Amino acid sequence: MRTVIAAVALACAAATAQGEAARQDERPWVFQRVCNIVPGQEAAAAALAREMVALVERKYPGAEMSARTGRWMTGFQNIERPVDQILFSERHPDADMRRIFNEILMGDDEFRALQQKTAGVVDFGRCTENRFRARP
């Protein structure tokens, strides 16, 4: 049994040394932000989020951004008094690419204008953020 394990280990080491073994692609990172919608502003928040996603899809075709409304349990959510929320989601290969993409967006006048409008309908002070690897 030890001989078989040693032979497999040596074969793997030899293949790696020869460059035959390729590194497995890592799954992309998903960055999500859940924010409470200001009461009475549900329709306006959803419309602005759709505009933001449409702008990103139109101007930055390779980017993956989405937004949807609903209710998620966060640290700012009271189970006795639920509020409508909005979930913004982005997919990036790594944190550096997210940072670069955000810098590009913050330099985009149209996106910044939509973000400023969104600040009137979303309580950004009560947002929670998550980061995780996408499912295969």
Side-chain angles (χ1 to χ4, degrees), residues 5 7 9 27 30 38-39 43 46 58 60 62 67 72 79 84 86-89 93 101 107 114 128:
I5 293 172
R27 295 172 290 162
V30 176
V38 174
R58 177 174 44 87
Y60 311 101
W72 293 269
I79 197 163
D84 290 321
I86 193 157
L87 168 70
F88 296 97
S89 184
F101 181 66
L114 284 174
T128 59

Side-chain angles (χ1 to χ4, degrees), residues 17-59:
Q18 295 173 6
E20 293 176 13
R23 190 178 130 246
Q24 289 184 352
D25 290 332
E26 292 188 16
R27 295 172 290 162
W29 283 99
V30 176
F31 298 88
Q32 292 185 333
R33 175 182 280 179
V34 176
C35 302
N36 291 351
I37 297 173
V38 174
Q41 297 296 321
E42 294 81 5
L48 284 168
R50 283 191 302 272
E51 285 184 59
M52 289 173 82
V53 171
L55 180 132
V56 168
E57 288 175 350
R58 177 174 44 87
K59 292 181 98 173

Side-chain angles (χ1 to χ4, degrees), residues 23 25-32 62 64 90-103 130-134:
R23 190 178 130 246
D25 290 332
E26 292 188 16
R27 295 172 290 162
W29 283 99
V30 176
F31 298 88
Q32 292 185 333
E64 292 185 52
E90 299 174 22
R91 290 170 66 105
H92 299 282
D94 55 49
D96 284 339
M97 289 303 293
R98 180 186 189 214
R99 182 186 51 76
I100 291 166
F101 181 66
N102 285 337
E103 287 175 4
N130 293 306
R131 179 177 77 171
F132 56 90
R133 291 274 187 194

Side-chain angles (χ1 to χ4, degrees), residues 68-126:
R68 62 185 173 131
T69 58
R71 291 183 178 165
W72 293 269
M73 188 52 63
T74 67
F76 294 110
Q77 189 75 300
N78 182 336
I79 197 163
E80 294 174 1
R81 286 180 282 151
V83 296
D84 290 321
Q85 296 172 308
I86 193 157
L87 168 70
F88 296 97
S89 184
E90 299 174 22
R91 290 170 66 105
H92 299 282
D94 55 49
D96 284 339
M97 289 303 293
R98 180 186 189 214
R99 182 186 51 76
I100 291 166
F101 181 66
N102 285 337
E103 287 175 4
I104 291 169
L105 286 180
M106 295 318 299
D108 186 302
D109 292 335
E110 283 182 81
F111 186 84
R112 281 199 340 257
L114 284 174
Q115 190 176 42
Q116 288 173 349
K117 289 179 184 177
T118 305
V121 297
V122 172
D123 182 359
F124 283 111
R126 293 190 172 265

